[in-house]
Amino acid sequence: MMQMMGRAGRPQFDTFGEGIIITGHTELQFYLSLFNVQLPIESQFIGTIPDNLNAEIVLGTVQNLKDAAAWLGYTYLYVRMLRSPQLYGVPLGAVEGDPLLQQHRLDLAHSAALLLDKNNLIRYDRRTGNFQVTDLGRIASHYYITYTTLAAFNNHLKPTMGDIELLRLFSLADEFKFMIVREEEKLELAKLIDRVPVPVKESLDEPTAKINVLLQAYISNLKLEGLALSSDMVYVTQSAGRLMRCLFEICLKRGWAALTDKALNLCKEVNHRMWSSQSPLRQFKGLPTELLTRLEKKDLAWERYYDLKPSELGDLIRMPKYGKALHKFVHQFPRLELAAHVQPLTRSLLRIDLSITPDFAWDDKVHGSVEPFWLLVEDADGEVLLYHQYWLLRKALSEEEHSLSFTVPVGEPLPPQYFVRMVSDRWIGCESILPVSFRQLILPEKYPPPTELLDLQPLPVSALRNKAFEALYKDIGVFNPIQTQVFTSLYNSDDNCFVCAPTGSGKTICAEFALLRLLAKEQQQRAAGEDGGSSFADGKPLVHAVYVAPLEALVAEKYVEWKEKLGKGLGIKVAKLTGDSTTDVRLLSDNHLVLASPQQWDMLSRRWKQRKAVQAVGLFIMDEMQLLGGQQGPVIEVICSRMRYMGSQLPNPTRLVAFSHSLANAKDVGEWLGAGGHSTFNFAPGVRPVPLEIHMHGLDIHNFEARMQAMMRPCYSAILNHAAGGKPAIVFVPTRKHVRLTALDLLTSAAGDGDQHRFRLAGEADLEPYISRIKDAALAHALSFGVGYVHETMPALERQVVEFLFDSGAIQVLVATAVSCWGMTASAKLIVIMGTQYYDGSGLGASDYPVTDLLQMLGRASRPGTDEVGLATLAGRVWIVIMSHL
């Protein structure tokens, strides 16, 4: 009204304007006030709080009821509630008792959360007030769908629906609740019902029938006569794209293969305004309608067009001059060639390596810079969707072969085949199907169950029966259950042993058992007077042990630990190999214990027949054997095989002791290492001195950087909720850049909550001597507020300072790159893994972390004797945690 009245009066020609309002007498006072008195603008936000709250929860800015109340405090609704409380339903007297309306905002947020929880958009824990987003909530937020529409879709969707039911469900959307059927439209709608291809079951008096007909008329390019009907069609089609996409994603998340395919087809039909039964060439511009009509009358499968020459295509439609144009368009139509290799990981899990070869001519005007596809894996009946992935084909790689690897479940009895489909997200009729037959597939044998953890009395340190050895463990008192169970095999026998247990279960002390048994032999020899000395430090060592770890960081960590513990505690000589053969042979003969990487020991042990020092090794310890299946695998395999062969050729065989994370096929590895059934221990992944509680937080954001940014708020909330009271927390991120960004974001979030020193657990004066030794200004700033970070390229001195401050409890949070988990000695109450993928730079984008890296990171959540339970939070778009097989 104000805008229309503002049109009265022409400044250049009129001295005043006139406005006439024709209305009822009851409205007279309102319109007089409207133009003569300034009326306040009232907020209309209260009706849309549930949908906006859902968007904030999906974004990660609101994690609980308290955050929701704070978020409402930034709205114009809150400002108006303070000015006119009764107009917005604030109880009488509430403002006097609660001037900031905190309780009323909590009530509004609680009511909205209940609605969202009832319609499955979020999970609302009323006891703690925490929110957890669901797939439906993400879909609603992404496509701007109201919670009422999504509830209707969720309740009515069935896996057996066809196109008729799907179009009817579309018409039930809440976006069309104000649409009516006018009397003058019924005649035209009746004509349209006969012309649209999909039957409409409802009567013309129902608005759902009108919406259904208008959508089909839009796809069919039918012309409308009525102006009001044309206006309604525009309104319907403006929402059609996002509503259809919403239906498609719901079907995708539920794993309904047939309905997913139908919904995706409808999405593309709305975009292109053509039906899938028509020629795919209608999607190209520049072809005459007459030509396309002739093509559609020909009973020729689309795949056959690729085999025809330009002249043959021209003859087919009896229009020779269009032969070349048709041939060009046919070969510009996206087409992919698929090949697959199947490898069974377990009897219930298959790994599929898919090769994708583009077979079409790329044109920027037609294809743009990328072509999106959906990878769908269906079961033998085509009913259940076992796996899906969004995949982008980029112009720069359009002529190269691409590889994708993924895992799918398989049941018993073994199905005859699966179907792998690559379906274009944009092009109608663009689909490649590859049947993957399992007829020749041989599944692995069932693996034996893990070793049961026996309920034994904890073994006291006195079981070592040696005062010097017992002094090493005076702080422990008793060994943990795993160490107690393996003690006899490692300390009281010379058999080869293989021990599999989760990270953080005390495997280092188990290795020391075998080492102490070897040192006890030297003590016996010295007591018998064989070398003329009574101490380990006297004369040359009589026994030699070698410790090998796959990573340099682990070797350096164990060297520092054992140099302090065993070197000073027992007086034995400990050294680390250098990589120079001449020096290493001397180090091996002059020390009781040498530590090496697989490559260093491989170089030294190749000429074992000529090197007496190598032959004199009495104990060979191989750590982290689960990496046998990784990049270091071939070197680990060859040195272990060489030590086994060397032991069989010498009069005094070398004892092999290996350690690993829990494996599915530990029996096979144990037999290869020469460990018998009584000396192979494969404890279940859940057997830990400190139980591990894992929380998953999924984010369905494809862009890598956007996904990392979205994880920031959940990470901060996890620290506040699970590491309250100053308990230590370690956050793992993919790269060095994210280390700095995450540390800064944590400080910003703490400052935003009004407690910028939340993570600092020591006084500023106490931290100053250590911070002054840090040259990195960003790190020094973060440490002053209680957040430290480490990465693989930082100076050793700065890393030692940061780890010392964290271990001593001066700072609460340590941010680290995923790679640095292997050389890390720090442990914490809470571990947060921000993303289970890293950017590999190979053109494929993000790649999943190796499972071994994930297990190592999770192993940091362990402080025996301090925590009753460890916590780990995994945040990522997609993750696969395989706890029993590597």
Side-chain angles (χ1 to χ4, degrees):
M1 288 297 294
M2 301 288 284
Q3 187 69 16
M4 286 188 284
M5 287 295 110
R7 298 296 93 200
R10 299 172 297 169
Q12 300 94 330
F13 307 103
D14 300 329
T15 56
F16 66 95
E18 292 185 15
I20 299 172
I21 300 174
I22 303 173
T23 182
H25 189 272
T26 54
E27 301 291 331
L28 180 62
Q29 192 60 41
F30 170 73
Y31 286 114
L32 284 174
S33 301
L34 185 65
F35 290 102
N36 295 317
V37 182
Q38 288 185 333
L39 296 179
I41 298 173
E42 299 298 344
S43 171
Q44 306 298 313
F45 186 68
I46 199 162
T48 59
I49 286 178
D51 294 317
N52 286 283
L53 178 61
N54 176 60
E56 295 296 330
I57 294 171
V58 171
L59 191 60
T61 54
V62 172
Q63 297 280 316
N64 50 51
L65 200 62
K66 183 182 174 183
D67 289 348
W71 164 71
L72 283 173
Y74 290 98
T75 62
Y76 181 61
L77 169 68
Y78 175 59
V79 175
R80 289 305 303 158
M81 282 196 302
L82 291 175
R83 297 290 185 272
S84 307
Q86 295 181 9
L87 187 63
Y88 291 93
V90 178
L92 289 170
V95 180
E96 287 76 12
D98 185 9
L100 297 178
L101 295 179
Q102 178 72 15
Q103 187 57 47
H104 188 65
R105 281 184 285 151
L106 286 170
D107 291 342
L108 287 174
H110 174 71
S111 302
L114 286 177
L115 276 174
L116 294 173
D117 184 42
K118 179 183 176 182
N119 293 291
N120 297 315
L121 270 71
I122 65 169
R123 294 281 176 268
Y124 176 35
D125 187 344
R126 301 185 194 184
R127 183 178 58 85
T128 61
N130 289 334
F131 302 145
Q132 185 179 353
V133 69
T134 63
D135 286 333
L136 288 179
R138 288 195 192 93
I139 294 168
S141 172
H142 186 71
Y143 293 108
Y144 291 83
I145 308 294
T146 62
Y147 72 94
T148 49
T149 297
L150 207 69
F153 287 173
N154 192 37
N155 293 333
H156 291 88
L157 268 176
K158 299 290 185 291
T160 55
M161 293 175 75
D163 288 336
I164 298 174
E165 293 86 357
L166 209 55
L167 287 169
R168 182 180 179 278
L169 182 57
F170 165 84
S171 63
L172 293 175
D174 197 51
E175 277 76 359
F176 310 127
K177 63 182 176 182
F178 297 118
M179 190 165 286
I180 59 171
V181 180
R182 305 175 186 90
E183 279 297 326
E184 62 270 18
E185 295 172 349
K186 289 184 178 179
L187 181 61
E188 187 175 356
L189 285 173
K191 294 178 182 177
L192 288 173
I193 281 181
D194 296 333
R195 297 179 63 188
V196 295
V198 181
V200 179
K201 292 184 176 181
E202 298 83 22
S203 70
L204 277 177
D205 294 327
E206 296 185 28
T208 53
K210 175 182 175 180
I211 297 163
N212 193 338
V213 169
L214 288 178
L215 179 65
Q216 292 192 57
Y218 174 77
I219 297 173
S220 303
N221 289 287
L222 300 180
K223 292 184 178 180
L224 305 180
E225 296 173 4
L227 187 61
L229 208 57
S230 299
S231 177
D232 286 344
M233 177 193 269
V234 171
Y235 181 73
V236 170
T237 53
Q238 280 177 340
S239 301
R242 59 188 179 88
L243 288 172
M244 282 300 178
R245 281 283 168 182
C246 171
L247 285 169
F248 161 67
E249 292 224 9
I250 294 174
C251 300
L252 192 70
K253 299 295 183 186
R254 290 191 174 184
W256 296 339
L259 199 57
T260 298
D261 191 44
K262 289 184 176 71
L264 182 57
N265 274 336
L266 275 173
C267 292
K268 294 188 282 189
E269 287 166 356
V270 169
N271 289 340
H272 290 283
R273 298 190 68 180
M274 61 171 280
W275 297 100
S276 53
S277 57
Q278 295 175 294
S279 171
L281 291 174
R282 283 187 179 270
Q283 297 166 85
F284 291 99
K285 296 177 181 178
L287 289 175
T289 308
E290 181 189 356
L291 181 149
L292 294 168
T293 307
R294 289 188 183 186
L295 280 174
E296 287 164 357
K297 289 179 179 177
K298 299 293 181 182
D299 188 18
L300 187 66
W302 171 249
E303 289 74 18
R304 293 290 309 279
Y305 282 82
Y306 290 96
D307 303 329
L308 300 179
K309 298 177 182 177
S311 57
E312 294 171 336
L313 283 168
D315 295 340
L316 179 68
I317 55 172
R318 297 182 181 178
M319 299 174 73
K321 65 178 181 177
Y322 285 108
K324 287 186 178 179
L326 267 180
H327 186 268
K328 182 185 77 170
F329 287 138
V330 165
H331 287 273
Q332 281 182 354
F333 192 79
R335 185 186 184 197
L336 302 176
E337 298 288 341
L338 305 179
H341 172 71
V342 182
Q343 176 189 358
L345 299 179
T346 67
R347 292 186 68 84
S348 59
L349 195 69
L350 299 179
R351 175 190 172 98
I352 298 180
D353 296 319
L354 185 67
S355 298
I356 306 169
T357 309
D359 185 20
F360 63 96
W362 193 284
D363 187 346
D364 289 349
K365 294 180 181 178
V366 176
H367 306 100
S369 58
V370 293
E371 275 293 343
F373 289 87
W374 283 99
L375 167 63
L376 307 173
V377 182
E378 301 172 1
D379 66 350
D381 301 323
E383 294 178 355
V384 180
L385 205 57
L386 301 167
Y387 180 82
H388 67 269
Q389 181 180 338
Y390 186 70
W391 182 73
L392 291 174
L393 174 63
R394 303 183 188 281
K395 177 191 173 184
L397 305 172
S398 61
E399 297 180 0
E400 298 181 11
E401 183 178 299
H402 302 261
S403 298
L404 284 177
S405 297
F406 52 91
T407 55
V408 291
V410 64
E412 293 188 11
L414 191 67
Q417 62 188 8
Y418 280 168
F419 292 100
V420 177
R421 299 172 59 210
M422 290 294 293
V423 185
S424 173
D425 191 53
R426 289 202 301 224
W427 294 81
I428 296 175
C430 176
E431 181 178 343
S432 301
I433 303 178
L434 177 69
V436 179
S437 175
F438 299 149
R439 189 162 296 173
Q440 306 296 327
L441 190 67
I442 301 174
L443 293 177
E445 296 179 4
K446 288 186 177 180
Y447 296 118
T451 304
E452 183 182 356
L453 185 65
L454 303 176
D455 188 14
L456 302 173
Q457 182 73 24
L459 204 63
V461 174
S462 57
L464 293 169
R465 303 184 302 279
N466 186 306
K467 294 296 182 183
F469 295 169
E470 292 170 24
L472 297 174
Y473 305 105
K474 59 185 177 182
D475 297 333
I476 298 178
V478 294
F479 296 117
N480 71 33
I482 291 176
Q483 294 161 355
T484 298
Q485 191 162 334
V486 303
F487 180 84
T488 301
S489 297
L490 287 170
Y491 190 75
N492 294 331
S493 76
D494 287 320
D495 298 336
N496 292 354
C497 290
F498 184 42
V499 179
C500 303
T503 305
S505 55
K507 294 194 293 290
T508 300
I509 291 180
C510 295
E512 291 169 4
F513 290 160
L515 189 58
L516 292 177
R517 176 171 179 81
L518 184 71
L519 294 174
K521 292 180 180 178
E522 176 167 328
Q523 282 186 329
Q524 293 172 2
Q525 294 176 17
R526 289 181 183 277
E530 293 184 20
D531 74 326
S534 59
S535 168
F536 288 118
D538 297 336
K540 276 205 160 194
L542 303 181
V543 294
H544 304 278
V546 176
Y547 170 87
V548 177
L551 297 166
E552 288 284 355
L554 276 175
V555 174
E557 174 196 332
K558 287 290 182 285
Y559 174 71
V560 172
E561 181 182 344
W562 280 338
K563 185 80 173 175
E564 178 69 24
K565 185 175 182 179
L566 302 177
K568 292 183 178 179
L570 295 177
I572 71 169
K573 298 171 183 176
V574 182
K576 189 170 66 168
L577 295 188
T578 62
D580 178 67
S581 298
T582 307
T583 306
D584 288 346
V585 170
R586 192 182 313 114
L587 286 173
L588 185 60
S589 60
D590 292 345
N591 290 275
H592 294 91
L593 172 64
V594 295
L595 297 90
S597 66
Q599 290 80 3
Q600 290 171 341
W601 185 249
D602 182 30
M603 291 291 295
L604 191 63
S605 61
R606 282 181 183 176
R607 298 173 58 193
W608 64 270
K609 290 185 178 179
Q610 289 82 29
R611 290 171 175 163
K612 299 292 184 183
V614 177
Q615 296 178 18
V617 172
L619 174 65
F620 180 76
I621 302 171
M622 184 70 225
D623 204 357
E624 306 294 350
M625 277 292 288
Q626 72 269 17
L627 296 177
L628 187 66
Q631 292 181 348
Q632 296 269 37
V635 186
I636 295 173
E637 188 171 341
V638 77
I639 60 174
C640 290
S641 300
R642 184 179 297 143
M643 296 307 291
R644 282 273 290 143
Y645 176 71
M646 190 178 83
S648 66
Q649 302 295 311
L650 297 174
N652 298 319
T654 302
R655 184 188 188 190
L656 262 72
V657 177
F659 298 92
S660 168
H661 196 279
S662 305
L663 301 178
N665 57 339
K667 182 182 177 183
D668 300 340
V669 180
E671 289 176 354
W672 166 57
L673 294 173
H678 63 283
S679 56
T680 298
F681 302 90
N682 182 31
F683 297 102
V687 175
R688 292 167 49 102
V690 178
L692 182 63
E693 184 180 313
I694 299 178
H695 298 261
M696 301 281 191
H697 184 91
L699 289 166
D700 196 11
I701 300 174
H702 295 290
N703 183 272
F704 182 74
E705 291 299 333
R707 189 164 67 247
M708 290 302 300
Q709 188 63 36
M711 290 175 195
M712 194 53 249
R713 185 67 188 180
C715 171
Y716 177 71
S717 298
I719 295 172
L720 295 191
N721 294 333
H722 302 302
K727 293 176 182 174
I730 300 176
V731 181
F732 288 106
V733 295
T735 65
R736 285 173 289 167
K737 179 182 81 171
H738 292 110
V739 162
R740 291 187 175 88
L741 290 176
T742 303
L744 182 61
D745 283 341
L746 286 173
L747 298 180
T748 305
S749 299
D753 284 353
D755 189 2
Q756 59 182 354
H757 297 293
R758 181 192 297 274
F759 303 124
R760 196 180 72 193
L761 306 177
E764 189 174 351
D766 298 330
L767 287 174
E768 183 56 36
Y770 300 97
I771 295 178
S772 61
R773 300 163 67 183
I774 304 293
K775 294 182 180 180
D776 185 347
L779 176 57
H781 174 75
L783 284 173
S784 65
F785 291 97
V787 177
Y789 60 76
V790 296
H791 53 79
E792 59 274 16
T793 60
M794 70 188 298
L797 176 63
E798 293 189 358
R799 178 163 181 162
Q800 288 171 9
V801 170
V802 174
E803 291 186 347
F804 173 76
L805 290 175
F806 182 75
D807 290 337
S808 61
I811 60 175
Q812 183 184 356
V813 181
L814 178 65
V815 186
T817 52
V819 179
S820 61
C821 69
W822 289 100
M824 185 178 289
T825 56
S827 59
K829 164 76 174 177
L830 170 70
I831 299 297
V832 180
I833 302 175
M834 281 183 63
T836 55
Q837 294 183 320
Y838 65 96
Y839 190 81
D840 61 2
S842 64
L844 300 176
S847 297
D848 291 331
Y849 284 151
V851 179
T852 49
D853 285 14
L854 276 176
L855 295 174
Q856 186 70 15
M857 286 184 260
L858 294 175
R860 298 293 96 205
S862 170
R863 296 187 299 166
T866 304
D867 298 325
E868 294 182 2
V869 63
L871 290 163
T873 299
L874 274 77
R877 182 168 68 89
V878 180
W879 59 81
I880 303 170
V881 180
I882 305 171
M883 302 300 286
S884 61
H885 184 275
L886 298 174

